[in-house]
Amino acid sequence: MAESQSNARLRAAAGTPTSGVIHVRTRLTADFTVISNALAQRRGSAVTVGVAAYILSLPDGTPVSITALCEHFTEGEILISRALKELEHAGYLERRRERLSTGQIRTRTYFHEVPGGGPQPGPGPDGPPEPPQPRRSRRQAAIAEVTSAASEPASASASASAEETVAEPVQAETEAPVPLSEADPRAVAVLAALRRVDPRLILSAREAARLAPAVTRWLAAGLLPTHITDHLTARLPDQFLTRPAGILAYRLKETPLALPVPARAAEPSARPAVVPMQNCDGCDRGFRPTQPGRCRDCRARDQLRAAG
């Protein structure tokens, strides 16, 4: 007798989800990275999470500049730069200017596993780093450097050079950007149309307002918008190592040569005086004599009569 078989579906194991991802976990003992769920599950760009995970997996001292990251990822400079700015704004990435024992200032990059956490102390290339301090703005850091440079015993020339070195970023921070509404509309139109020639030349409103005065000078020198566009888009590099605004500012930094003033046409020579009309004393015909008297025909007839 044949055995009875049931065609009912088998019951799933308890605790196993019926949909979604099912993890197949393996206990790792080497070559793994610990990343918080807050960062791994961060909403927004996947490039930002991928860059953060890659930076966390790197050993200390590995370069994480935009150029170094572009060599590893297939994304371009714009997406990588945007990801780094998002991580810095969220508190994961931090760039600090630290003074070395030799007096030089170096920018060090810290990546926090938890936003806002201080750097872990450890030996560096020039000894142990300074203890973590509360974050300060660039303006406060520049003022502190000026104060420390003035308090150190040094010659007058050295103090002056130190003040000039740190005074530049302070001025850059206090300089108010020019509103886009006050910029020359013709210059803004030229800058906005650049992305039609090269899609990479995308400018923000602040960048367009900063570049508009230079374009206005080129237009005032007599150049047409098409000439300016050709100059700004010719022979661009395959990969941008900086923002497009930096390349355009470099190409616009020189003032173009103004068109020569057209020479005035030579003034016409003075017209000879017009001899007034007079009537001939012989035939009463009108003519223009240099001296009053008879016309040419009457003089010729008089000469014939005298000869005959």
Side-chain angles (χ1 to χ4, degrees), residues 114-196:
V114 179
Q120 299 293 334
D126 297 282
E130 299 179 0
Q133 300 177 357
R135 300 184 63 179
R136 299 178 297 180
S137 62
R138 295 182 179 177
R139 178 180 177 84
Q140 295 176 351
I143 294 176
E145 291 176 7
V146 174
T147 306
S148 61
S151 61
E152 294 177 357
S155 60
S157 60
S159 300
S161 61
E163 292 177 0
E164 293 176 358
T165 302
V166 296
E168 183 177 357
V170 175
Q171 182 179 3
E173 290 292 332
T174 57
E175 183 179 357
V178 180
L180 185 61
S181 58
E182 299 181 2
D184 188 359
R186 299 180 305 162
V188 176
V190 172
L191 294 172
L194 293 178
R195 59 183 177 182
R196 297 179 181 175

Side-chain angles (χ1 to χ4, degrees), residues 46-70:
V47 179
T48 303
V49 179
V51 170
Y54 174 70
I55 294 177
L56 283 173
S57 66
L58 297 175
D60 292 345
T62 305
V64 289
S65 61
I66 298 179
T67 304
L69 294 176
C70 288

Side-chain angles (χ1 to χ4, degrees), residues 69-114:
L69 294 176
C70 288
E71 293 178 356
H72 177 78
F73 293 100
T74 58
E75 284 74 12
E77 295 180 358
I78 296 179
L79 294 179
I80 297 298
S81 176
R82 187 180 303 170
L84 294 177
K85 289 181 179 179
E86 291 182 3
L87 293 173
E88 187 173 5
H89 181 72
Y92 290 98
L93 184 68
E94 181 182 3
R95 297 184 177 94
R96 289 190 182 183
R97 297 182 64 188
E98 300 179 355
R99 186 183 297 275
L100 305 180
S101 58
T102 57
Q104 299 177 347
I105 297 178
R106 177 179 300 176
T107 301
R108 286 182 174 173
T109 303
Y110 295 92
F111 198 90
H112 305 278
E113 295 181 352
V114 179

